[in-house]
Each structure stands twice: as C-alpha cells, then as structure tokens.
C-alpha cells in the first residue's frame, strides 16, 4: 500500500464514499459499483457517515473488522499432515480424535501448515484442540468431511459451574468440541474447571492478573489511529498489545460506552455487579508503526482515552494467531436439547484468546451451542451454518470480543420441536464486546440477542430473520445495549419488532432499512431515561436502502 492507516487521505475517503453511495442509489456503473444494481435510496445517515466515518455519533466504523483487517482472502497454507497417516479412519466407528490431535500437534511442531482431513466420516470421542499458531484443520468440504462427535464437554472435562453462582452450566456459553485457543491458556482453563475454581476466561488469565504494563497512554479521542505513549521502548510494529481502560468511581467509562448524557449519568451502575466485573475494558490490537513516542494501530480507537481511566498498553496471555478450521461438518450425536442453562456441552467451534483466526465453510449440527467467540478478536467466520435439532446459542460473542466478522452465515430451522424449558437465542453479543459485524445472514429462527453486559458499537447488516427467539441476561449485567449499535437492511419475515427496531432501546444508535414490524412476545423498555438520540430511517422498506450492506460499503471507503 505504501502508507499506514494513519495516512489515509480524507479527500480520497470522501471521494470513494460518494462514488459508492451514488452508484448504489442510481444503478449507474462506476469504478466501485456494478451497473446491474437496482435503484435504491441513500439515507441521510450514510451521507453524514462518510464525512465523519471514525467518529459518527450513531454508526460505528467497522470497515476493519475480521481477520487481518477484513482480508477478502484467507490464507492457504501448505499441507504438512494428513490425519489418516496418524491413525484416523473414515469408517464412522473408530475413535479418530487422538489421531487428529496428533496430526495437529505435528503441524504445530513444524511451525504451522494445513492438517488435511479427507472425505468421509470420522468418529471423535474426544474434543479437537487447535492451540498452535498458523495451523489450519481442513476437510474436503462441509458436504464431504464429517467429524461425528459422541461425547460432550461435561463428560470430557467435567462439570463447569458459573463464576457468578447458582447451578448453571458454563458449558451453556463456553467451550467447543473444536476449540481454538492457545495451548497454555486452554490448559489453565481446564485445570481451573477441574479444580472447580471457576475462572475468568479472557486475555489476562483465570484471575485477570496475568498482565504487566508496557507504557501509559496520553489522552486521545475515539477514532484516532495514533496515540502518544510515555515510553515506547517495549513496543514494536507487528506486536499485539492490550489497550486497558479502567473505570472510575463515578462510572464515567461505562457512561461513555453508553453514549454519555443525562440518561447514562442517571443510571444506577453500582448494583450491576456482573457488568462491573467485565471492567477494565481490554481491547487487543496490533501495532502498525512506532515513531518515537507515537504509536499507530491497525484500527482506530474504539473509545476515548482519558486520564481518569488509567489508560495503558499492557501484555496479555499468549494469543493464538493465524489458525483456522475449514471445509468440514461437526455433527454431534443427536440428543434432546437440555433445559435452559444446563447444557452438557455438545458445542461446536469456539475461538478463545484468538486473534486473526478464522472458520470457513463449516457446518455444526445437533449442537447445544454453535459457534463461539470468547475473548476473541479480529477473527472471521465465513460460510458457517448451524443445523439440526436446535441450539441454545447458535452464535455467541462474549467476554470482551471485539472486531470480529461473521458473514454469509445461516441458522437453519430446527429439525425437531423444542423441548419444554429450553431457550433459543440467535446471534448473541454481550460482555462489553464491541465493533463486531454480522453480515449477509439467513436466520430461519432466533433473534438479535443481547445478554446485557453493555455491548456497544456492533453492526448487523443485510440479514433475513424469522424473529422467534428471545434474549437473556441477568439484571446485574446492566443494559442491553451501549451506544452506536446499527441494524442496517434487515428483513424480518414474521413482523416482530423485538430487538430488530432498536431506536427506542439503544442509545445513540441507528435502525436503517427495516420492514414494518410490531411489538409482541418479549417486549423491553429502555434502560436509560430521556432522549436516546437514536435514529430510524427508511423504516417500512425492504431492500431499498443504499448502500445495501453497511460493512461492505465501509470496506469500499
């Protein structure tokens, strides 16, 4: 490219944005749009956004979400191991989990590469662990390679209780039968579960104390690409660091995440103990450039950096990077769905403490929980599908997961009726997770789930949804939404408004290009009093808004 992201020209940015908006509105061919696009309407919000893309008050900048800043192509690593050479047998009856894990370990020792799983059905009586950088587990295609899982995480690891008390099973929102996490982090998590000392699950260890300060950071504004640090001697280009922001006694950081103003100022934060346990806010980011005490990141700042929040760059537990899973189906043995929050752990694919990792062309079937992002950032889930008997969380995004991209995803209708006392959510986001994108989705059941915990600045765009799920979340987890949530071009097939039309719920947020919907079933009231300063545009339309896909249009910028 020949320049850093901090050198992006505003004139070039605006020129590209205007070209995209004009082309998609008129259908006239330009260098950035195909002539076959239908006519549509460009809302005022988009015209505003292109003038202030990194600091717009309602729409977040998510154009860098996903693997390597939203790379269009995922890497193709050379094949270094075939699981059949390590004893895996595609007969549907031989336990091939040990052989697959041996092949993955061999690829890790070799410094990375692809582990090939040929066509056929491979039974696995254990979970598959990908804990090495640059290792990819690749099948022959989700319609040709199947891993048939016979056991759940309770059987394989043990009972996993909630750190917040009660008799809930943490396998209802954690862990996968294909689990991508750095080896040391996975080992420490499993040891804590087996010792029944229920851990924190994020970037700074089981007790959130495995970090040290690299340097403090001077004040900066949300949307800035470059910050000034006190001491850059321990920083280098390409390094992954945490930006750490602690709250103050007046909870001004949480107020800032909620958009500020009278409503968040009047909100009762002190008794929201589950929410406050998520703070400090920890944002993993790779350094693009260091010049003296000036440090440029690969993404713009998600929030203001203020002295009262003790801003600093810190270390973290070792991350998993460059790893992926591709071209396979993970099918669990079909069992009835468990009662709500008592899942046994027939879970799909989970990324934990992972950065710049991915899944592509992966199907999970008959699972309790489908695809998970747990303290995972900058990951891409592409062409993924949740199918079978029905899931509690088809997709979950929690424990401070940021800048992830889930695109071309499908949640199929369940193949059997839901048992009594079970729950269906949908595409979940919670726990201060921010700047995540769900794009080009087909949800034949479920909803846009928030489990409270003040998620903010997330985008759902170009999605068709049969809105029949329900959200969850303890009262102690605080608000459903923070600021700058955007729902853009959403087609609700059953006309239910809940969690789709959010102008009355989410502060300083946007609902754009939504067909007419009405309130029924689960109905929520706003968490904050007064004017939410939220926007509603092109309501009662279907596929009229241009640009059609907010994430793709931001990528064009």
């Amino acid at each position: 490219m020949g320049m850093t992201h901090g050198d992006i020209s505003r004139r070039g940015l605006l020129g590209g944005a205007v070209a995209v908006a004009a082309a998609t509105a008129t259908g006239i061919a330009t260098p950035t749009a195909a002539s076959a696009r239908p006519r549509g309407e460009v809302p005022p919000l988009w015209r505003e956004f292109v003038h202030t893309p990194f600091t717009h008050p309602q729409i977040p900048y998510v154009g860098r979400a996903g693997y390597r800043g939203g790379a269009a192509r995922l890497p193709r690593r050379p094949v270094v191991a075939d699981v059949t050479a390590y004893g895996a047998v595609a007969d549907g009856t031989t336990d091939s989990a040990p052989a697959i894990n041996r092949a993955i370990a061999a690829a890790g020792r070799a410094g990375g590469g692809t582990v090939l799983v040929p066509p056929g059905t491979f039974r696995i009586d254990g979970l598959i662990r990908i804990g090495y950088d640059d290792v990819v587990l690749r099948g022959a295609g989700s319609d040709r390679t199947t891993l048939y899982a016979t056991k759940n995480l309770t059987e394989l690891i043990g009972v996993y209780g909630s750190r917040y008390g009660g008799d809930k099973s943490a396998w209802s929102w954690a862990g996968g039968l294909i689990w991508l996490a750095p080896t040391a982090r996975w080992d420490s998590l499993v040891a804590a579960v087996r010792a029944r000392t229920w851990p924190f699950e994020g970037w700074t260890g089981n007790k959130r104390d495995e970090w040290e300060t690299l340097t403090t950071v001077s004040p900066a504004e949300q949307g800035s690409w470059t910050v000034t640090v006190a001491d850059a001697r321990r920083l280098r280009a390409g390094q992954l660091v945490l930006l750490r922001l602690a709250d103050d006694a007046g909870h001004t950081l949480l107020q800032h995440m909620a958009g500020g103003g009278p409503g968040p100022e009047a909100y009762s934060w002190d008794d929201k103990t589950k929410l406050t346990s998520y703070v400090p806010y920890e944002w993993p980011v790779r350094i693009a450039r260091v010049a003296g005490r000036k440090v440029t990141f690969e993404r713009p700042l998600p929030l203001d950096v203020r002295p009262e929040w003790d801003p600093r760059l810190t270390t973290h537990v070792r991350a998993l990077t460059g790893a992926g899973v591709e071209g396979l189906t993970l099918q669990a043995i079909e069992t009835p769905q468990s009662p709500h929050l008592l899942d046994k752990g027939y879970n799909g694919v989970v990324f934990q403490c992972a950065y710049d990792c991915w899944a592509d062309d992966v199907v999970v079937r008959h699972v309790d929980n489908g695809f998970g992002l747990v303290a995972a950032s900058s990951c891409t889930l592409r062409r993924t599908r949740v199918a079978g008997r029905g899931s509690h969380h088809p997709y979950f995004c929690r424990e401070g997961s940021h800048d992830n991209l889930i695109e071309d995803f499908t949640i199929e209708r369940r193949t059997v009726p839901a048992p009594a006392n079970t729950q269906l959510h949908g595409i979940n986001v919670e726990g201060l997770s921010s700047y995540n994108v769900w794009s080009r989705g087909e949800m034949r059941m479920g909803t846009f789930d928030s489990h409270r915990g003040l998620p903010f600045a997330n985008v759902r765009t170009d999605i068709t949804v049969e809105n029949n799920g329900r959200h969850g979340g303890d009262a102690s987890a605080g608000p459903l939404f923070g600021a700058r949530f955007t729902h853009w071009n959403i087609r609700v097939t059953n006309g239910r408004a809940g969690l789709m039309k959010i102008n009355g719920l989410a502060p300083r947020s946007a609902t754009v290009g939504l067909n007419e919907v009405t309130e029924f079933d689960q109905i929520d009231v706003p968490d904050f009093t007064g004017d939410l300063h939220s926007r509603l545009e092109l309501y009662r339309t279907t596929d009229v808004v241009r640009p059609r896909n907010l994430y793709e249009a931001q990528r064009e910028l």
Side-chain angles (χ1 to χ4, degrees), residues 35-46:
S35 59
R37 288 178 178 168
R39 293 180 179 274
E41 293 186 49
V42 179
L45 264 169
W46 174 255

Side-chain angles (χ1 to χ4, degrees), residues 170 174 246 286 313 326 373 499 523:
R286 203 177 295 280
L313 300 181
E326 303 174 345
L373 297 159
L499 301 177
I523 298 174

